[in-house]
Amino acid sequence: MNTLTREFCMTINGKPVLTEQTVPVINPANETVIAQAPKASRNDLNEAVKGARAAFSTWSMLSIAERAAKLEAFSDAILQHRDELANLFTAEMGRPINGGFGSYMEIDSACHWCKVIAKNRLPREIIEENDSHTIEKYYTPLGVAGLIVPWNFPVLLAMWKIAPALLAGNTIVVKPSPYTPLTTLRIGEIARDIFPAGVFNVVTGENELGQWMTEHPDINKISFTGSTATGKKVLQSASVNLKRVTLELGGNDAAIVLEDADVKEVVPKIFWAAFSNTAQICVASKRLYVHQKIYDEFLAEFIQYAKTIPIGDGMNPATLIGPVQNKMQYEKVKALIEDAKSTGTNIVCGGIVEDKPGYFIPITIVDNPPEDARVVTEEAFGPVLPVIKYSNYDEVITKANNTDYGLAGSVWGKDLNLARSIAERLETGTVWINEAHILLPNVPFGGHKQSGIGVENSSEGLKEYTNTKTIMIKKK
Ligand code: NAD
């Protein structure tokens, strides 16, 4: 069946559910409506939560090995639909189908994550065993987990939540972004054949649906990835029943290029650190600080490299950078470029957005804007990058830390001791040296400051879907 002429249904308590009202899904490469996604009502959400609650009592009683086996089967089942899902993903998300951050990579990484996370265990621990006491610690699931996902990595970031939530023994209600619901709806259909009814629910709608989830009295946990502004609202409304929350929020990552960096070697790497996925990555390099000794050489090389990169429809196998994913983000990035122009900063590459169908914005590079320029202080989340000159390391660390965000950052150069000492002083959850956005299922990932609360991935991420429980036995 042609994926885009089929109906896309929600998955509620193991059943397909359509709604009278729908939300149009737009292909960002040409602005055509490619499908309609269901628009869940409060009642639909209540049914999903009710099903998840009912399924919790049996799902949580399975052994962790039994739940892991289901996750492995789920990963295999998704892979069987790899081509269909990758094509659907490009159509709704705009991402190039091939390449390092292509749509195939998204599907494959999600499956890999699912399998690796399924191998985690949270063993019971005897804290004390003596003549007077046995003290035991272990982890219990929370209940129903609401998983709220953004549009930039809709499948992979969903899986970062789905796999640990289910492995720990929770049942789930997944809500993708209104901009990118289709691949997740399709994955929900695949899940129906794997998990018992009620364990795995997918609901779609507009942003209000996310709010209803955070307020819902029978959801015990919200794992949210999205903007810092929305994350604050989530935290507020989750207080209704003291939901556990994990928040993975925005960032304004600095990439710091040391004076001894090999310009020719680092330019392509830093380019992709900034512009992969059309710069719509929470941990994209969003402010590029280059030492004054190599600034001119670096900037010239960077611009030259940028001009070789094909931008276009992600369905074209030659495309390396696709459109911005949605109109809201497109207008936001255009406004940042206009602001840079109106304040007289020097745009040395791109900057002119053609009036044609599709949310295409050229690679735009701003030469040494002031620190208080909007293009420096705001998270662009699109292909506009400030390159800023600095002269000493204390100065650049202060500038890099001068933000409410604290997601990640990177340092590039040959002197690894210097790079490491800078990395230790950056106020972020992750720092990479001579690479960027390498994320792994066994490595904890989370933001400092206003970039988040809690972590995902690794056993620490798994524990976020549990309560810690101790049992203390007094011996005679
Ligand atoms: P967003 O905050 O607008 O939306 C994220 C999700 O929240 C969507 O599913 C949306 O429908 C839902 N939502 C909207 N309003 C809500 C509300 N009041 N209550 C509950 N849910 C609500 O973010 P976005 O534009 O989809 O994503 C881009 C942002 O996500 C960027 O800031 C980016 O840095 C961040 N992000 C962070 C990470 C990370 O791991 N830290 C990863 C990817 C993206």
Side-chain angles (χ1 to χ4, degrees):
M1 188 190 290
N2 178 344
T3 49
L4 298 180
T5 53
R6 73 198 305 285
E7 273 181 332
F8 289 87
C9 307
M10 300 189 289
T11 294
I12 296 182
N13 203 15
K15 302 225 164 47
V17 173
L18 283 169
T19 56
E20 233 163 70
Q21 287 187 26
T22 55
V23 181
V25 182
I26 290 167
N27 179 339
N30 53 30
E31 297 178 55
T32 56
V33 174
I34 53 171
Q36 298 288 331
K39 185 174 173 193
S41 63
R42 269 190 199 266
N43 190 46
D44 293 322
L45 175 63
N46 288 342
E47 287 302 309
V49 176
K50 208 163 90 187
R53 175 63 55 198
F56 176 70
S57 53
T58 42
W59 179 251
S60 60
M61 292 309 287
L62 295 180
S63 71
I64 194 164
E66 286 171 308
R67 292 194 296 262
K70 289 284 187 195
L71 283 171
E72 286 184 19
F74 179 48
S75 171
D76 290 340
I78 294 174
L79 271 186
Q80 281 172 16
H81 298 272
R82 185 172 179 264
D83 290 327
E84 177 203 337
L85 292 171
N87 279 283
L88 179 58
F89 186 91
T90 292
E92 69 171 337
M93 203 276 155
R95 177 103 56 87
I97 188 121
N98 294 313
F101 271 94
S103 301
Y104 277 107
M105 166 270 175
E106 175 102 3
I107 305 300
D108 293 347
S109 300
C111 293
H112 171 69
W113 236 266
C114 186
K115 285 214 162 164
V116 175
I117 286 180
K119 291 189 194 338
N120 274 304
R121 296 293 178 269
L122 291 175
R124 286 176 185 243
E125 205 181 304
I126 303 293
I127 297 173
E128 220 168 288
E129 176 71 86
N130 54 33
D131 291 345
S132 112
H133 278 96
T134 301
I135 304 177
E136 196 183 319
K137 175 182 84 171
Y138 65 105
Y139 300 92
T140 58
L142 298 169
V144 178
L147 313 179
I148 302 179
V149 184
W151 45 261
N152 66 326
F153 280 82
V155 174
L156 181 58
L157 294 180
M159 192 61 90
W160 283 23
K161 303 177 188 307
I162 292 167
L166 292 178
L167 184 71
N170 304 281
T171 52
I172 59 174
V173 179
V174 187
K175 191 201 86 63
S177 164
Y179 295 117
T180 52
L182 302 180
T183 319
T184 311
L185 287 167
R186 187 69 188 93
I187 285 174
E189 289 177 18
I190 294 169
R192 270 179 232 154
D193 294 334
I194 310 277
F195 297 100
V199 169
F200 193 122
N201 301 276
V202 180
V203 292
T204 52
E206 288 176 339
N207 289 340
E208 62 189 3
L209 176 60
Q211 190 185 332
W212 298 341
M213 288 171 70
T214 60
E215 291 167 351
H216 201 291
D218 215 20
I219 291 182
N220 308 94
K221 159 91 190 180
I222 291 285
S223 180
F224 169 86
T225 301
S227 62
T228 296
T230 312
K232 289 180 182 178
K233 291 185 197 162
V234 170
L235 191 56
Q236 223 162 17
S237 46
S239 69
V240 64
N241 60 340
L242 288 186
K243 286 183 182 64
R244 306 320 188 235
V245 289
T246 301
L247 301 177
E248 295 287 358
L249 309 179
N252 197 2
D253 292 11
I256 298 174
V257 187
L258 307 181
E259 61 193 299
D260 70 355
D262 179 332
V263 169
K264 281 219 168 344
E265 193 190 319
V266 298
V267 157
K269 293 179 186 165
I270 298 177
F271 177 85
W272 289 110
F275 291 106
S276 290
N277 199 29
T278 320
Q280 303 162 125
I281 305 187
C282 54
V283 291
S285 301
K286 292 173 185 148
R287 295 173 290 155
L288 181 45
Y289 290 98
V290 181
H291 195 280
Q292 62 177 9
K293 278 194 185 154
I294 57 165
Y295 184 87
D296 291 344
E297 181 195 356
F298 182 97
L299 187 62
E301 189 76 25
F302 200 78
I303 294 168
Q304 203 182 357
Y305 186 81
K307 289 185 172 160
T308 66
I309 304 302
I311 299 177
D313 187 333
M315 286 296 185
N316 178 346
T319 293
L320 292 179
I321 291 187
V324 168
Q325 200 281 322
N326 58 69
K327 189 163 172 56
M328 174 276 298
Q329 197 62 31
Y330 174 71
E331 296 298 342
K332 203 177 143 194
V333 177
K334 280 203 307 186
L336 273 183
I337 293 173
E338 286 314 310
D339 181 77
K341 283 181 188 165
S342 70
T343 51
T345 47
N346 193 13
I347 295 180
V348 285
C349 182
I352 295 164
V353 180
E354 275 181 65
D355 188 13
K356 61 173 189 183
Y359 306 134
F360 290 100
I361 294 187
I363 300 297
T364 298
I365 299 169
V366 185
D367 175 13
N368 207 23
E371 274 297 303
D372 62 355
R374 279 183 59 197
V375 74
V376 180
T377 59
E378 291 183 23
E379 180 190 36
F381 221 60
V384 50
L385 179 73
V387 185
I388 306 157
K389 198 184 287 188
Y390 73 90
S391 54
N392 76 68
Y393 295 118
D394 283 338
E395 170 206 342
V396 76
I397 292 165
T398 305
K399 285 180 173 171
N401 286 336
N402 184 24
T403 167
D404 288 335
Y405 292 115
L407 196 54
S410 57
V411 187
W412 304 78
K414 295 197 191 91
D415 183 343
L416 294 185
N417 288 330
L418 173 62
R420 205 199 146 88
S421 72
I422 293 173
E424 289 192 3
R425 292 172 63 193
L426 293 181
E427 298 164 351
T428 61
T430 303
V431 184
W432 293 282
I433 295 175
N434 290 324
E435 60 183 11
H437 38 63
I438 304 296
L439 300 163
L440 299 165
N442 59 341
V443 177
F445 171 74
H448 292 190
K449 294 156 75 174
Q450 295 191 27
S451 285
I453 293 179
V455 296
E456 295 198 289
N457 302 327
S458 78
S459 58
E460 285 178 55
L462 180 58
K463 284 180 193 164
E464 301 229 352
Y465 292 93
T466 66
N467 278 318
T468 306
K469 180 156 183 170
T470 52
I471 293 187
M472 204 177 285
I473 304 168
K474 174 89 175 97
K475 294 180 181 167
K476 278 196 175 159

